[in-house]
């Protein structure tokens, strides 16, 4: 499942980058926004399945059949494109691509951390209780979705580098508001700012990497996978030692490192 999902993500982002190159317009943020639509839709379907007391086996079977049906129907509309800039083998990236890979590594650490710990932040730190805690993730995911729908329009007048830098600074401010506020509504506003701030990093970096070569896109995505994998046990140790507020401040530090790497990434001037 993990391997197939990784291949699917690589292919979709490569197709998106090829489309942008061919049409001369920005569309990667919109493509990534539909990942958010599926994410929210899947969460709602899962909640409905739980409410209906459906078994896990039945739920997974129906979900698999639904995905299979969608793929079969959509297959005829997917262009059969191959990268004209592909490398013969995976190779270590040069410094310009390495900056993109580091940005995605840090962005993956950030997004995985927020998605995995936001519910606990609400239930334990804000003491909302488990039933209300789901609102935290919904707030974050909604902001992510809205900003990605707007991202391509913004990129027509502002560079990817400027958008990511502004976004990461907004996200850091959002974390400070969420932690210091210690109030459901104020902290929710902070969480919304976090989601809006980090939303454009993935689509715009993938867009640039995909236009360079298939090898560059693959390297960037590998770094993202590594970041998602190693960040969670490390953050767990940090939270155990310094609490949820310390954990979220450490996420803010990661986002600031993303800002620095974005400033150094010359390819994002495109």
């Amino acid at each position: 499942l993990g391997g197939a999902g990784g291949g699917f993500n690589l292919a979709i982002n490569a197709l998106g980058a090829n489309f942008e190159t061919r049409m001369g317009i920005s569309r990667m943020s919109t493509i990534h926004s539909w990942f958010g639509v599926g994410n929210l839709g899947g969460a709602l379907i899962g909640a409905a399945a739980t409410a209906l007391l459906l078994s896990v086996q039945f739920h997974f079977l129906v979900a698999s059949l639904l995905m299979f049906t969608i793929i079969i129907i959509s297959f005829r509309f997917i262009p059969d494109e191959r990268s004209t800039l592909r490398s013969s083998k995976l190779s270590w990236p040069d410094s310009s691509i390495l900056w993109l890979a580091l940005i995605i590594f840090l962005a993956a650490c950030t997004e995985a951390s927020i998605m995995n710990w936001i519910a606990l932040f609400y239930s334990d730190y804000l003491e909302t209780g488990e039933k209300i805690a789901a609102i935290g993730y919904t707030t974050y995911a909604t902001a992510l979705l809205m900003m990605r729908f707007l991202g391509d329009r913004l990129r027509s007048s502002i560079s990817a580098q400027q958008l990511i830098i502004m976004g990461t600074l907004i996200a850091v401010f959002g974390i400070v508001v969420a932690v210091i506020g210690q109030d459901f509504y104020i902290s929710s506003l902070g969480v919304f700012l976090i989601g809006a701030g980090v939303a454009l990093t993935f689509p715009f970096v993938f867009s640039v990497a995909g236009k360079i070569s298939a090898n560059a896109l693959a390297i960037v995505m590998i770094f993202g996978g590594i970041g998602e994998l190693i960040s969670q046990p490390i953050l767990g140790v940090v939270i155990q030692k310094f609490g949820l507020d310390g954990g979220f401040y450490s996420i803010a530090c990661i986002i600031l490192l993303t800002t620095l790497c974005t400033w150094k990434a010359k390819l994002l001037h495109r």
Side-chain angles (χ1 to χ4, degrees), residues 118-192:
I118 194 66
L120 199 64
F121 178 81
Y122 269 72
S123 64
D124 288 20
Y125 186 76
L126 300 180
E127 298 180 344
T128 61
E130 293 184 0
K131 292 184 178 179
I132 306 297
I135 293 178
Y137 177 76
T138 304
T139 302
Y140 169 77
T142 300
L144 206 71
L145 179 62
M146 292 173 60
M147 197 63 192
R148 283 177 176 170
F149 270 125
L150 292 172
D152 290 320
R153 295 182 182 181
L154 294 173
R155 196 180 178 187
S156 62
S157 55
I158 308 174
S159 72
Q161 185 183 51
Q162 291 173 322
L163 284 170
I164 295 174
I165 288 176
M166 287 189 293
T168 51
L169 293 176
I170 289 171
V172 170
F173 177 71
I175 289 178
V176 174
V177 170
V179 174
I180 293 179
Q182 290 188 309
D183 173 80
F184 175 79
Y185 296 103
I186 295 175
S187 294
S188 293
L189 173 62
V191 170
F192 187 89

